Amino acid sequence: MKLTQTHFNTFTLTTPLYYVNDVPHIGSAYTTMAADAIARFQRLQGKSVLLITGTDEHGQKIQRTAEELGRSPQAHCDQIADGFASLWQHLNIQYDRFSRTTAPRHEAIVNEFFQRVWNQGDIYLSQQQGWYCVACEEYKEERELEQKKYCPIHTNKALEWRDEQNYFFRLSQYQKQLETLYQEHPDFIQPESRRNEVINFVKQGLQDFSISRVNIDWGFPVPCDPSHTIYVWFDALLGYITALLDPEDEPTLENALSKRWPINLHLIGKDILRFHAIYWPAMLMSAGLSLPGRIFGHGFLTKDGKKMGKSLGNTLDPVALVNQYGADAIRFYFLKEIEFGQDGDYSQTRFIHTVNANLANDLGNLLNRTLKMAFKYFNGCVPDVNGEDIPKDDALKSLGLTLADTVTQAYDALAFSEVCTAIFTLVQAGNKYIDDKAPWSLYKQGKQEAVSQVLYSVLESVRLAAYLLSPIIPNISTRIYQQLGYTLDFNDQTILATALSFDIHAVWGALPANQPLQEAQPVFRRLEDAEGASS
Ligand code: MSP
């Protein structure tokens, strides 16, 4: 089984390519924020990262939406794709590629891939009969329909009966190889619950699936039979490969696969697990390509405990959220408060409470009060202390020394919530430390050296916390760093591997003695809830 990661110093990851049937919602933003945090963490570690996102623009769903809106499909796609790009800017997402499936170069890749699978003998013409969900762009198997004729995911959408000639992909041929893959590479599908779900599904026996449609113009024509268009999912998954082309490359599979294949990580939501964990590896096996490293299926977001959806009228508009609260607060809430992999809830009360408690109180106030003392007692400079000289059993240093390892493991496992918990354990210990040590009274007693050490330990802990949180809250981390006297910006990718390198900055004790500090400014302003009270 080919599943080797050959490029050690590169990291390539994807978000799903989002449907353009509607403006982006918080679900799409969620996956993308997580992907951006991983990408940023990998860049901090000196990796050459390629973060791929984009839009999935073909198929009946999009064709119908454009028709309903009286737009040409392409004009509609252009408009919505712009909306995604703009949201990513608002959310401070540093993507490297925006793959659009209507791009002409994508057609070249799809054709070449189709041809490979065809040459392998894995495509044949047959009759397709079944219940189709246009919202999923998927035939539903009778056995998974609870109430016949309604999709289990889009419960308010009636399924449509189809009876037509389609080209089929011989998925059934790959049953054994897929089972071996899941067995030999237990980390291929994460988290564990999703892996089990896939294994159970495959165990029931895989059926071939149709990869062409008739009577739908909005798609690429099947190369050998232009009366069919290629099924939107077959086309969309290949968008990940097209995205690997450099802008100046000829669009060939060889060029696309030459630099960064296989992709390390596909981040997806749990509803599109089968496509990624079953169809996609089988398609790649058929084309003779190696397989991606890992597929992680996260959970669904709910609002105030209820499933978010247009029919309930309780969707969350990510643009409005960012405009109101800023990108860092939104990123922090969703990544810290929801265990990645599980379903999770958004409630405004909980949102305001969390960001105020952690960002404004724990982190912001700790820096603020310590900086003020540094101005009062040390002329606005870091005390003249070398981190190495502070005893190892110092309450903050002992936590700080192991923090980078814990946090690295948690980022690698996509356990963002654990990342934040570990970092805030240090921050909260910093607040307790300052209360316990009471540097103001040490100062009055003339214990200058002790004051230096206490303030150094706290400032250094805030610095380390800001550094390790920077993939999640890059703007706040930058403000903290600047107040600590650095002229560095975590959004500047060109300095991450050098001036902000992990080897130096992830180590407790990196804050230079005597570094001039900036006047204290709030790094995060407390939010008020709808009633005007902040919690
Ligand atoms: N176009 C396909 C993906 C093709 S990838 C080659 C698609 N697009 S989508 O726009 O419908 O969904 C994109 C992602 O958003 C999915 O990962 C889905 O799980 C996620 N979400 C949609 N609603 C969501 C929530 N309410 N909560 C969390 N994520 C959800 O599927």
Side-chain angles (χ1 to χ4, degrees):
M1 187 87 35
K2 291 194 225 169
L3 196 135
T4 42
Q5 296 295 311
T6 41
H7 317 281
F8 293 113
N9 210 31
T10 66
F11 192 87
T12 305
L13 75 166
T14 68
T15 73
L17 304 184
Y18 299 106
Y19 281 133
V20 290
N21 60 312
D22 206 349
V23 292
H25 52 73
I26 197 71
S28 1
Y30 181 54
T31 328
T32 313
M33 290 187 284
D36 185 60
I38 292 298
R40 285 176 183 264
F41 186 70
Q42 295 287 336
R43 286 192 205 105
L44 267 190
Q45 291 195 304
K47 296 258 176 80
S48 153
V49 172
L50 195 82
L51 169 54
I52 296 170
T53 187
T55 41
D56 180 0
E57 306 187 356
H58 283 135
Q60 185 150 33
K61 175 154 72 166
I62 311 300
Q63 186 174 322
R64 277 190 189 167
T65 309
E67 273 161 14
E68 280 160 20
L69 293 167
R71 298 178 185 148
S72 79
Q74 191 62 62
H76 171 76
C77 292
D78 291 349
Q79 188 170 333
I80 305 282
D82 282 352
F84 275 94
S86 141
L87 173 61
W88 302 154
Q89 201 140 28
H90 276 76
L91 277 171
N92 201 3
I93 306 293
Q94 295 187 324
Y95 58 86
D96 301 285
R97 294 285 153 81
F98 194 99
S99 190
R100 293 187 57 183
T101 58
T102 53
R105 55 195 352 228
H106 180 53
E107 184 167 12
I109 296 292
V110 172
N111 284 346
E112 200 183 331
F113 191 93
F114 190 96
Q115 198 58 50
R116 278 209 197 192
V117 177
W118 179 273
N119 294 346
Q120 187 61 28
D122 281 340
I123 298 176
Y124 63 94
L125 194 60
S126 185
Q127 195 69 17
Q128 168 79 64
Q129 288 186 322
W131 292 104
Y132 194 69
C133 173
V134 176
C136 291
E137 293 282 13
E138 185 184 23
Y139 279 101
K140 297 291 166 182
E141 294 186 14
E142 293 274 347
R143 65 184 182 208
E144 56 181 333
L145 304 182
E146 285 161 20
Q147 267 179 309
K148 271 206 178 131
K149 303 183 185 81
Y150 280 86
C151 167
I153 296 172
H154 304 94
T155 45
N156 58 347
K157 297 251 159 76
L159 298 172
E160 298 177 19
W161 178 252
R162 297 282 159 82
D163 185 356
E164 58 185 44
Q165 271 221 324
N166 285 167
Y167 286 93
F168 280 73
F169 172 69
R170 284 189 210 281
L171 181 65
S172 55
Q173 208 61 356
Y174 293 91
Q175 167 109 18
K176 271 238 150 55
Q177 286 184 61
L178 287 169
E179 282 172 342
T180 312
L181 165 71
Y182 308 142
Q183 209 167 27
E184 288 181 355
H185 299 278
D187 292 340
F188 181 66
I189 305 167
Q190 290 180 335
E192 183 76 18
S193 54
R194 308 259 181 271
R195 174 172 186 261
N196 293 336
E197 191 185 316
V198 168
I199 290 175
N200 287 335
F201 183 81
V202 172
K203 213 187 276 166
Q204 295 172 53
L206 290 175
Q207 296 172 13
D208 298 347
F209 70 97
S210 65
I211 56 166
S212 77
R213 297 290 181 270
V214 285
N215 306 321
I216 298 168
D217 314 325
W218 192 235
F220 294 133
V222 167
C224 57
D225 183 352
S227 65
H228 290 242
T229 48
I230 292 183
Y231 171 44
V232 56
W233 267 101
F234 193 87
D235 157 352
L237 289 161
L238 294 169
Y240 295 140
I241 293 187
T242 305
L244 298 171
L245 288 166
D246 285 327
E248 65 283 2
D249 284 343
E250 279 283 303
T252 64
L253 270 181
E254 192 188 347
N255 283 340
L257 300 168
S258 63
K259 287 158 228 163
R260 284 180 174 265
W261 188 261
I263 285 167
N264 301 76
L265 171 66
H266 290 302
L267 276 183
I268 56 166
K270 63 181 182 181
D271 53 330
I272 54 174
L273 186 63
R274 267 181 222 171
F275 294 100
H276 285 79
I278 302 174
Y279 291 15
W280 180 225
M283 284 163 60
L284 293 167
M285 286 169 182
S286 170
L289 304 183
S290 53
L291 305 181
R294 174 152 74 128
I295 291 156
F296 193 103
H298 65 68
F300 259 34
L301 302 178
T302 54
K303 181 153 179 259
D304 301 316
K306 295 199 188 90
K307 186 176 185 299
M308 253 185 252
K310 277 202 205 151
S311 50
L312 281 175
N314 66 344
T315 48
L316 260 186
D317 173 6
V319 177
L321 272 186
V322 183
N323 287 340
Q324 196 170 357
Y325 302 118
D328 279 13
I330 311 293
R331 295 167 64 108
F332 184 74
Y333 176 82
F334 283 105
L335 295 178
K336 161 158 193 287
E337 284 294 289
I338 297 165
E339 198 185 321
F340 203 61
Q342 307 292 315
D343 291 350
D345 194 53
Y346 175 88
S347 96
Q348 188 173 337
T349 313
R350 187 165 147 212
F351 167 74
I352 290 185
H353 173 77
T354 301
V355 296
N356 280 348
N358 289 157
L359 302 178
N361 295 357
D362 292 344
L363 187 60
N365 281 353
L366 181 60
L367 175 65
N368 204 277
R369 64 205 282 224
T370 318
L371 276 180
K372 283 185 177 147
M373 285 187 262
F375 270 84
K376 210 160 157 189
Y377 308 143
F378 299 100
N379 278 328
C381 290
V382 174
D384 186 14
V385 171
N386 186 339
E388 279 182 13
D389 297 335
I390 292 184
K392 280 210 170 75
D393 63 356
D394 172 86
L396 298 186
K397 183 170 178 174
S398 62
L399 281 174
L401 285 177
T402 56
L403 189 62
D405 282 349
T406 312
V407 164
T408 300
Q409 277 175 29
Y411 271 118
D412 286 344
L414 311 189
F416 304 105
S417 162
E418 278 175 36
V419 164
C420 295
T421 304
I423 297 172
F424 275 88
T425 302
L426 175 65
V427 172
Q428 283 150 5
N431 278 302
K432 181 170 184 304
Y433 184 87
I434 220 164
D435 292 342
D436 290 350
K437 302 271 178 184
W440 48 90
S441 69
L442 292 172
Y443 186 78
K444 276 194 200 137
Q445 295 161 35
K447 295 183 176 161
Q448 192 74 5
E449 212 175 301
V451 180
S452 302
Q453 186 179 312
V454 169
L455 291 198
Y456 182 91
S457 277
V458 177
L459 290 171
E460 169 55 4
S461 299
V462 174
R463 182 205 64 75
L464 182 64
Y467 183 78
L468 295 172
L469 280 169
S470 68
I472 298 174
I473 48 167
N475 295 335
I476 293 175
S477 293
T478 298
R479 286 200 280 278
I480 293 176
Y481 253 58
Q482 292 182 346
Q483 289 184 37
L484 289 173
Y486 296 92
T487 47
L488 299 171
D489 185 340
F490 284 98
N491 295 300
D492 179 357
Q493 289 187 28
T494 62
I495 58 165
L496 294 184
T498 50
L500 277 169
S501 85
F502 203 78
D503 292 352
I504 294 174
H505 288 258
V507 180
W508 198 94
L511 185 66
N514 303 311
Q515 176 157 283
L517 300 161
Q518 299 265 314
E519 289 278 354
Q521 301 274 339
V523 291
F524 181 78
R525 286 190 191 281
R526 294 176 66 78
L527 299 179
E528 309 243 311
D529 67 20
E531 280 77 48
S534 61
S535 51

